[in-house]
Amino acid sequence: DIASLPLTAMQEALWPRLYASREPRRQMLFTAAFLVLLALLGGVMLYLIAPLLALLLGPGFETTVQLLQWLAWLPAFQVIRNFGNYQAVASHRTHLLAWSYLVGGVTSIVLTVWLVPGFGLVGAVMAAYLTEAAAIVLQTLFLLRNPRYSM
């Protein structure tokens, strides 16, 4: 949340400007590239500073370090998914958001029930990444299905 909250806040603040832009597609691509780069840089920082958690919190928190390092890249996936949301809204296909979130929610539940018992925290991390990836793929397929309505 520490990494993704500022990115989400920036996206929320940028949506009105993107919708009002003369060249929304070009502006969206530029903004998306910038925020994905920012998310990746944040991921690098989280990955590198994660070992400090064990020093700060003491013995027994080594798993927390590894977990934070595994999750460091998740905000980049979330930024990409959020720009798929923007594309759906901008192209007046908000019903795609409902489908995307429904499939994402079901995917999350199924993957969590399947992966966590056998893999523990690693399974939970895999479920998080795979859920985001499934939502991104689904949004992409929906948006490409009828491109004449896209921005």
Side-chain angles (χ1 to χ4, degrees):
D1 285 345
I2 291 171
S4 62
L5 190 59
L7 291 167
T8 302
M10 279 193 275
Q11 285 177 322
E12 294 295 328
L14 288 171
W15 292 151
R17 288 179 183 233
L18 288 176
Y19 290 126
S21 174
R22 284 184 180 190
E23 299 178 35
R25 183 171 180 77
R26 186 176 78 76
Q27 188 65 34
M28 188 267 304
L29 290 173
F30 174 78
T31 304
F34 175 76
L35 288 176
V36 168
L37 178 64
L38 200 58
L40 291 172
L41 289 173
V44 168
M45 287 180 20
L46 281 174
Y47 188 89
L48 294 175
I49 65 169
L52 297 176
L53 280 177
L55 295 173
L56 182 68
L57 300 175
F61 283 92
E62 293 79 16
T63 305
T64 305
V65 171
Q66 195 172 34
L67 187 61
L68 181 58
Q69 287 178 325
W70 291 336
L71 291 172
W73 316 109
L74 192 60
F77 280 75
Q78 293 168 332
V79 166
I80 294 167
R81 179 183 40 81
N82 285 337
F83 275 97
N85 293 350
Y86 165 79
Q87 179 70 19
V89 171
S91 62
H92 306 289
R93 293 182 280 173
T94 54
H95 64 283
L96 299 180
L97 295 177
W99 282 108
S100 177
Y101 280 95
L102 177 67
V103 169
V106 170
T107 301
S108 178
I109 291 167
V110 168
L111 289 172
T112 300
V113 167
W114 178 45
L115 295 172
V116 171
F119 298 98
L121 289 176
V122 174
V125 171
M126 290 182 343
Y129 278 105
L130 290 171
T131 297
E132 288 293 336
I136 291 167
V137 167
L138 183 66
Q139 284 177 340
T140 302
L141 292 174
F142 278 157
L143 291 168
L144 292 176
R145 185 173 166 204
N146 195 351
R148 68 186 174 120
Y149 290 112
S150 60
M151 294 179 13

